[in-house]
Amino acid sequence: MQSTDGKGLIKTLKQLLNSLLVPFLAILTAVIVGGLIIKVVGGNPIEAYKGLVQGAFGTSKALSETAVWATPYIFAGLAVAVAFKGGLFNIGAEGQLAFGAVTAALIGYALPGWLHMSLPTYIHIPLAVGCGMLAGALWAAIPGALKAYTGGHEVINTIMMNYIALNITSFLLNGPMRDPNPLNLSARTPEIAASARIPRIFSNPLLRVHWGFILALVVAVIIWWLLWKTTLGFEIRTVGANPDAAKYAGINVKRTIIITMALSGALAGLAGAIEVTALNYRHELGFSMGYGFDAIAIALLGKTNPFGVILAAILFGAMRNGATRMQFLTQIPVDIISVIQALILLFVAADAIIRFVYRIRIRDERVVLTRGWGG
Amino acid sequence: MKRISTIVAVLSVFVMLVTACGPAVTAVPPVVVPPTAVPPVVVPPTQVPPTAVPAITGSDCSKANVFCVGVVTDVGKVDDKSFNQSAWEGVQNSKKDGSADWIQYIETTDSKDYAKNIATFGDAGYKVIVTVGFNLTEPTYAAAQLYPKTLFIGVDQFLSKDATHPDWPLANLVGLVYNEDQSGFLVGALAAMMSKTHSIGGVFGTDAVPPVWRYGEGYRAGAAYEDTKNGTKTTVTNVYHSDVGFDKTFTDPTWGADTANSMIDKGADIIFGGGGKTGNGAVDAAAQRKVLAIGVDTDQYATLPEADAYLLTSAMKPIPQPLENLIKLAKAGQFPTNGLYTGAAGYAPYHDVASQVPANVDAEMQALAKGLADGSIKTNVPPVKPAQ
Amino acid sequence: MDWRRFAIIALVIAIMFGTVVLVGVSQNSPLVIITSMLATTIAVATPLTLGALSGLFCERSGVVNIGIEGMMLGAAFFGWLAAIYMNTIYHEAAMLSMIVGVIMAILTGGLFALLHAVLSITFKVDQIIGGTVINILAAGITGFLNRQMFFGAGSVFGGQVPHTPGVLPRIHIPLLADIPVVGRIFEQQPIAIAAVALVVISHFVLFHTRWGLRTRAVGEHPRAADTVGINVLFMRYANVIIGGFLAGLGGAYFTLESISSFEPLMTNGRGFIALAAMIFGNWTPFGAWAAALVFGAAQALQINLQFFRELIPPSLAFLQNSYVVGLAPYILTMLILTGLIGKTIPPAADGKPYEK
């Protein structure tokens, strides 16, 4: 679709605005409906939303916290999105994240001791983060292999792996990996070495945002490039779209399934590893709970597109972050955020509803994710 | 028609920008409902003091003469019918008795937000911030150093002077701690004396949370103590919900009920439910099976009405009273400076079950309570579960 | 599922029971232990069975339903709410209130299912999205309403959770229930009994009636079904709503049969386990029931091994670790799935919206 420069740019901009218009209106509608619900139960929607927005974007500290929230969401959202692109439903991001975190923490606090020497940052950080990715990849590859070779449904196996991961990490954090400091009462690891910590972006101690956030954005771009500009990405997407056609085209479907799950798991593991190395500097039982399930909603909201995932992750992060200020100002229970999130997802996904309400032309493209359900 | 949607879109972006970049609420009087509307404080309707003129709102907290108290809960809500709720009750009481001019709570939904939630109160000029739960120990300590003019009360937060806390005790931080093992000891002793089958059970959240583990082991120790004294042999079985994550371990009443039922099937005739909502499920199930139950943290006679007929007692960790006292002391400028404030251990009254408790058992209970308080009886329960 | 698979599942359950009996025999008689474990197994399996049956009807007609968790949670809350209203505000008898509560729970499940159906069938929204929306929506609405209605100034009940009418009573099956010790198994509450009955009924309906045939046709070859005159959209709507009713009954179990109060998020992932049970059972009622029983038995194993912790012999010391035992149901499921069942075969048109 080449055209003369000026026209082409405007056309691209128009297309971009167009594709953003419906999701934007969807969010707006969800916000309005949410406001009505608040009103019906006796709250003040304006104050509530004011609090929400202030809490998410109002000060530099708020922005920093939103970025902190968005980081694991971006990684985990990408994980689920990549799996969806490959026709697989990875509900196991939660467990893969846990393993990534535990492994990164281990490398972070134990490696200098094992090697009897201190490590420079440029080795320690990549090692910790890389091992976290690897752990996540492995944890996802198992159900991937089961699916490829036995046809075992990845939904069950990843759900099971979540619980198994939970029990194993609980065991580790209460036992061999527990912080031996006698004053420590929690199930957590010792702090990771200073050389394993990803630095913050700003020197202001109040701003927690760290380079992991930038990394998340970069990784999203890499995933985009991987999926649309490489052979592997093509294979993944083809297997996701039509496994039979892929087979006839000569793609090794089994291998691709395993690689897709491994990649997905690596991203989820990355989420956990970054939380450990950039934010908490240790892993503790109870950290990072529920991100794997939020990631499903985020991947869906972002229409399994890496850039969509970034936006969806920032939106969800903003909502989680701003909810506390909303509660502080208005005492409205934070559960309303879940309702609004559900509505957003609903209206974005069922964009036919939005298009009908706002009289926008119905488009025919649809996101299809359940293709892989058929075993 | 598309134009309408575009206009809507542009307008809403404009509105959002204005809102976000608008002045923070604390700088401008809130454009809110008139003072007679429902105050955002969770207070029974009859409690709005008639002298609330001019009405003090949250935005006045930064003023020197306005004494605001904030509560930051752990992951879990103020409606958990025990722990967090007690803390909120104590703070509500301090408003009723006039120590606090304005009270507010923030419920933490993710451990990432601890520091942020505390800072929200700190930045708004609250004079006292109560943080609930041992998970908030470190964030509270850090915040106490960041906000030296604010007073902090950390419920269940034990600290002492060590390498990571060289400045302890801080003048503005007090940890409200309890000897849960003593409360557990008391109810365990009672259970051992009251059990006809000599088999009692305890259903708890995860034993990775030290107070929970102390309750369980105190329960065991109390029963053993009475066994030695009376020559009985009571089987004590504690089951901890350690097989699920922190987000589920205290919020799984169905599991609590299933576990309690399992114990009752095998002969246990007293069930101690110690673990938030999970424990509540156990108490509920026991009451349904017409088996005596024991509550935890607060006198659950009030919070679990469906179990009243069978609620023998509750292992008390009375939070409201000591919290009220601390807030009073804070207001009077007499905040404790030694860093720790120990709340009383105890057990709740028998209420509807009182007729089933023989006089000698009651006398023994009172003697035990005294013995524990003056130190002559020891539970010998370590503060935290030993590493496996 | 064929008999070989059932036999192996029965064997696994027997081994779990046997382990506990061996460990605990010095404290309780084997009969007591077996009865107790059986009781726990049934209790845990009931909501899982109903959830799995719910998923089954939806998916057999071609609609993927991962929103079972949300449906059960919503039903648990609204059913409970109805029972409380009837009992406290309208002062009706406890039994009547609870029956109304169960009906309300069933209807709530149906309502959520209707939403799912509209999204998936009419708007052709991807069914995974529909299910996710229902899960998040249910969690948010129930948590929000629970707070607003019971914990605040101006709340409907003045800040105190009202007295609930209790739980559904146990039904005493004559003769069988009078057997000493074991008889307790034959004293079950209505929803538990209904769950088993519905397994049998579902099997009959799906495989021996015209309705079942049409449902399966619509799930396997909707276009072919359409050409012989079956109304594909109607069949899908109907089956999804039936699935909703079943999930609603499953939800009622939590707040009207197991315990008499509601806690936010109390379903705790059981809807997803139900989904796993359905897949594990290869989309058949008896298979799903067998899977639910395996989970129930595994949880009974976990509880009982902690119960008999002191009695575990040193050679089996690893069983004392609650995390190790906690792993049991999940590893078992994966092993059985891999070893026995291998390729699970869903309905061919599962997940694909039908275009007329």
Side-chain angles (χ1 to χ4, degrees):
Chain A
M1 282 186 34
Q2 307 290 7
S3 47
T4 55
D5 297 309
K7 263 193 179 169
L9 185 61
I10 294 189
K11 198 152 189 179
T12 325
L13 273 176
K14 250 182 149 174
Q15 275 177 342
L16 185 66
L17 276 172
N18 231 324
S19 60
L20 285 179
L21 181 67
V22 171
F24 180 82
L25 287 173
I27 295 174
L28 184 69
T29 317
V31 161
I32 292 175
V33 173
L36 284 170
I37 297 178
I38 296 178
K39 187 96 198 183
V40 159
V41 294
N44 183 329
I46 310 288
E47 281 307 303
Y49 286 126
K50 218 162 138 188
L52 191 62
V53 174
Q54 265 175 20
F57 303 116
T59 64
S60 52
K61 182 158 174 220
L63 281 168
S64 159
E65 288 296 309
T66 298
V68 162
W69 264 102
T71 309
Y73 277 162
I74 294 177
F75 287 121
L78 286 171
V80 178
V82 164
F84 273 140
K85 277 282 186 264
L88 298 163
F89 191 174
N90 181 12
I91 306 191
E94 192 82 10
Q96 294 143 20
L97 196 153
F99 262 105
V102 150
T103 311
L106 183 67
I107 301 290
Y109 79 77
L111 195 58
W114 293 340
L115 299 176
H116 297 293
M117 64 185 199
S118 64
L119 295 158
T121 335
Y122 57 83
I123 294 195
H124 206 176
I125 294 181
L127 261 177
V129 172
C131 290
M133 281 180 68
L134 210 63
L138 258 144
W139 200 245
I142 297 175
L146 285 173
K147 167 125 193 181
Y149 291 107
T150 70
H153 206 293
E154 78 274 12
V155 165
I156 308 189
N157 283 326
T158 46
I159 292 179
M160 297 298 120
M161 294 297 272
N162 277 345
Y163 283 103
I164 297 175
L166 178 67
N167 277 286
I168 293 182
T169 45
S170 297
F171 169 71
L172 288 172
L173 289 173
N174 273 298
M177 284 180 65
R178 192 189 174 127
D179 186 350
N181 181 345
L183 268 182
N184 170 40
L185 299 179
S186 316
R188 63 182 190 183
T189 66
E191 280 199 332
I192 60 177
S195 50
R197 302 184 191 193
I198 296 181
R200 298 184 176 173
I201 299 183
F202 302 107
S203 51
N204 182 345
L206 291 177
L207 300 179
R208 286 202 294 181
V209 62
H210 48 75
W211 286 99
F213 176 64
I214 306 295
L215 181 67
L217 299 173
V218 168
V219 167
V221 174
I222 294 178
I223 294 295
W224 169 82
W225 172 81
L226 185 101
L227 285 174
W228 276 277
K229 302 284 184 197
T230 65
T231 321
L232 177 63
F234 175 74
E235 288 175 355
I236 293 177
R237 285 183 297 119
T238 313
V239 168
N242 193 334
D244 292 323
K247 197 155 48 153
Y248 290 128
I251 299 175
N252 184 337
V253 173
K254 289 201 204 322
R255 191 187 73 121
T256 310
I257 288 178
I258 299 179
I259 292 185
T260 309
M261 284 302 286
L263 183 59
S264 178
L267 287 162
L270 195 54
I274 297 290
E275 286 291 279
V276 164
T277 52
L279 192 67
N280 301 315
Y281 306 138
R282 63 176 4 127
H283 188 53
E284 183 164 337
L285 203 58
F287 280 179
S288 320
M289 298 245 93
Y291 296 174
F293 285 94
D294 291 341
I296 300 176
I298 291 171
L300 295 174
L301 193 62
K303 309 223 177 210
T304 65
N305 176 301
F307 300 114
V309 166
I310 294 180
L311 291 173
I314 293 179
L315 179 67
F316 266 54
M319 291 180 79
R320 289 294 298 263
N321 182 28
T324 21
R325 190 160 183 87
M326 179 187 80
Q327 181 177 61
F328 173 65
L329 292 177
T330 63
Q331 296 282 249
I332 290 177
V334 294
D335 305 276
I336 193 71
I337 296 292
S338 289
V339 176
I340 299 178
Q341 282 176 339
L343 290 172
I344 291 179
L345 186 60
L346 173 65
F347 290 133
V348 166
D351 55 11
I353 303 177
I354 295 295
R355 289 174 191 277
F356 174 73
V357 168
Y358 293 102
R359 309 276 188 274
I360 304 175
R361 188 172 42 94
I362 307 281
R363 298 276 205 85
D364 222 17
E365 25 105 350
R366 231 178 292 121
V367 179
V368 182
L369 302 160
T370 45
R371 220 184 290 269
W373 193 262
Chain B
M1 277 301 175
K2 178 114 170 268
R3 289 195 57 201
I4 296 184
S5 37
T6 324
I7 294 175
V8 169
V10 171
L11 270 176
S12 23
V13 172
F14 179 68
V15 166
M16 271 185 15
L17 282 174
V18 165
T19 323
C21 303
V25 172
T26 48
V28 170
V31 181
V32 196
V33 295
T36 51
V38 176
V41 170
V42 180
V43 187
T46 52
Q47 291 300 330
V48 176
T51 51
V53 169
I56 293 183
T57 63
S59 55
D60 300 321
C61 285
S62 41
K63 298 197 189 124
N65 59 336
V66 176
F67 197 78
C68 296
V69 178
V71 177
V72 178
T73 72
D74 200 347
V75 178
K77 315 273 188 77
V78 289
D79 58 349
D80 68 349
K81 295 190 191 131
S82 58
F83 200 58
N84 286 310
Q85 190 168 338
S86 300
W88 178 237
E89 244 179 72
V91 172
Q92 282 179 287
N93 291 344
S94 71
K95 179 141 199 297
K96 279 185 225 172
D97 70 24
S99 316
D101 298 317
W102 176 263
I103 58 178
Q104 187 80 292
Y105 66 77
I106 292 182
E107 293 168 319
T108 309
T109 57
D110 189 290
S111 53
K112 230 192 317 233
D113 289 337
Y114 289 146
K116 178 185 83 180
N117 292 347
I118 299 176
T120 307
F121 283 129
D123 292 335
Y126 277 60
K127 304 293 183 297
V128 175
I129 301 179
V130 179
T131 61
V132 186
F134 85 108
N135 280 321
L136 279 120
T137 312
E138 298 301 331
T140 309
Y141 184 79
Q145 294 176 306
L146 274 176
Y147 297 97
K149 294 222 200 62
T150 314
L151 300 172
F152 288 84
I153 303 173
V155 179
D156 248 9
Q157 295 170 20
F158 177 82
L159 280 170
S160 64
K161 200 181 185 72
D162 67 3
T164 29
H165 311 102
D167 301 320
W168 189 87
L170 299 171
N172 61 336
L173 171 63
V174 160
L176 177 57
V177 293
Y178 293 85
N179 296 314
E180 291 91 355
D181 52 318
Q182 288 184 352
S183 306
F185 187 92
L186 285 165
V187 300
L190 182 60
M193 290 190 280
M194 295 288 294
S195 170
K196 297 190 177 56
T197 61
H198 297 297
S199 175
I200 62 178
V203 179
F204 304 97
T206 174
D207 54 12
V209 173
V212 171
W213 189 77
R214 287 198 290 265
Y215 270 131
E217 297 311 304
Y219 186 61
R220 204 192 292 274
Y225 183 85
E226 284 303 321
D227 275 348
T228 325
K229 220 171 169 188
N230 303 332
T232 49
K233 171 100 177 63
T234 309
T235 314
V236 181
T237 32
N238 291 340
V239 179
Y240 297 94
H241 201 11
S242 311
D243 57 322
V244 293
F246 262 34
D247 57 334
K248 294 195 179 22
T249 180
F250 292 109
T251 54
D252 203 352
T254 317
W255 180 91
D258 289 338
T259 308
N261 277 317
S262 177
M263 292 177 171
I264 296 171
D265 286 341
K266 290 195 267 303
D269 65 348
I270 300 188
I271 304 286
F272 178 21
K277 302 174 192 189
T278 306
N280 294 347
V283 170
D284 207 318
Q288 274 173 48
R289 296 282 295 269
K290 305 202 192 331
V291 164
L292 289 177
I294 300 176
V296 77
D297 286 345
T298 77
D299 187 355
Q300 296 204 280
Y301 186 81
T303 52
L304 291 178
E306 53 266 10
D308 281 350
Y310 295 93
L311 195 68
L312 175 60
T313 178
S314 304
M316 294 292 278
K317 187 166 163 167
I319 297 182
Q321 191 60 49
L323 206 52
E324 247 189 279
N325 290 349
L326 280 170
I327 295 176
K328 260 204 201 92
L329 289 172
K331 180 138 191 212
Q334 293 161 2
F335 203 61
T337 48
N338 62 341
L340 287 175
Y341 189 92
T342 308
Y347 61 99
Y350 316 123
H351 296 292
D352 296 347
V353 185
S355 52
Q356 296 180 42
V357 182
N360 62 324
V361 170
D362 187 31
E364 171 71 0
M365 287 302 293
Q366 296 189 31
L368 282 176
K370 216 185 258 146
L372 283 170
D374 65 25
S376 51
I377 303 180
K378 298 223 184 296
T379 64
N380 297 322
V381 173
V384 70
K385 181 176 178 186
Q388 295 188 278
Chain C
M1 282 180 54
D2 62 58
W3 297 109
R4 189 182 72 120
R5 291 171 183 170
F6 277 117
I8 300 201
I9 287 179
L11 185 66
V12 167
I13 295 181
I15 293 179
M16 286 197 265
F17 275 49
T19 313
V20 177
V21 170
L22 278 172
V23 168
V25 69
S26 54
Q27 191 172 311
N28 290 98
S29 80
L31 214 51
V32 166
I33 295 179
I34 292 179
T35 312
S36 160
M37 282 194 74
L38 210 51
T40 310
T41 304
I42 293 174
V44 174
T46 300
L48 295 179
T49 308
L50 288 166
L53 286 176
S54 164
L56 211 95
F57 272 93
C58 296
E59 302 220 358
R60 275 288 179 178
S61 72
V63 177
V64 169
N65 179 11
I66 64 163
I68 301 172
E69 175 89 1
M71 290 181 194
M72 292 205 297
L73 186 64
F77 179 73
F78 286 105
W80 175 72
L81 198 64
I84 289 186
Y85 261 87
M86 289 295 284
N87 194 234
T88 315
I89 305 222
Y90 300 119
H91 299 293
E92 300 286 349
M95 197 59 211
L96 179 65
S97 308
M98 287 192 285
I99 293 178
V100 168
V102 174
I103 294 177
M104 192 66 196
I106 295 177
L107 289 175
T108 307
L111 204 66
F112 273 105
L114 182 63
L115 175 64
H116 185 51
V118 167
L119 287 176
S120 317
I121 303 172
T122 308
F123 284 105
K124 303 197 182 64
V125 174
D126 191 277
Q127 294 156 16
I128 303 269
I129 298 184
T132 307
V133 167
I134 288 180
N135 288 336
I136 307 179
L137 202 60
I141 291 181
T142 55
F144 183 71
L145 286 177
N146 184 52
R147 174 67 60 82
Q148 288 293 122
M149 298 187 79
F150 298 110
F151 294 98
S155 66
V156 180
F157 296 96
Q160 174 81 336
V161 180
H163 207 275
T164 60
V167 294
L168 294 164
R170 290 186 174 260
I171 299 179
H172 189 94
I173 301 178
L175 275 181
L176 286 172
D178 294 319
I179 306 173
V181 180
V182 190
R184 205 186 100 69
I185 295 299
F186 297 104
E187 245 184 26
Q188 286 292 349
Q189 289 162 301
I191 299 182
I193 299 177
V196 179
L198 283 165
V199 169
V200 178
I201 296 175
S202 303
H203 178 87
F204 183 73
V205 166
L206 268 178
F207 297 110
H208 298 285
T209 64
R210 247 182 21 165
W211 175 277
L213 187 60
R214 291 178 177 205
T215 302
R216 285 182 292 127
V218 158
E220 303 280 350
H221 305 287
R223 183 135 326 263
D226 195 10
T227 50
V228 297
I230 301 177
N231 186 336
V232 175
L233 295 182
F234 170 76
M235 286 306 291
R236 286 189 168 178
Y237 260 95
N239 277 290
V240 170
I241 293 179
I242 290 176
F245 289 152
L246 289 165
L249 188 60
Y253 171 82
F254 289 101
T255 50
L256 294 167
E257 182 156 305
S258 167
I259 59 174
S260 60
S261 56
F262 175 82
E263 305 287 357
L265 299 177
M266 69 189 300
T267 45
N268 248 332
R270 289 177 179 83
F272 286 99
I273 304 275
L275 202 65
M278 175 194 77
I279 299 177
F280 185 110
N282 223 354
W283 284 265
T284 65
F286 280 106
W289 190 43
L293 288 173
V294 169
F295 272 104
Q299 183 151 315
L301 178 74
Q302 192 245 348
I303 292 175
N304 280 281
L305 280 180
Q306 274 208 66
F307 189 85
F308 291 121
R309 204 165 172 274
E310 314 296 326
L311 302 172
I312 295 176
S315 48
L316 293 172
F318 67 92
L319 288 177
Q320 282 195 336
N321 190 320
S322 52
Y323 305 121
V324 169
V325 183
L327 284 172
Y330 311 111
I331 295 204
L332 271 167
T333 309
M334 288 184 74
L335 286 174
I336 298 179
L337 195 66
T338 319
L340 291 188
I341 299 171
K343 194 165 182 62
T344 53
I345 304 171
D350 201 10
K352 303 188 180 82
Y354 183 61
E355 316 269 356
K356 250 214 151 329

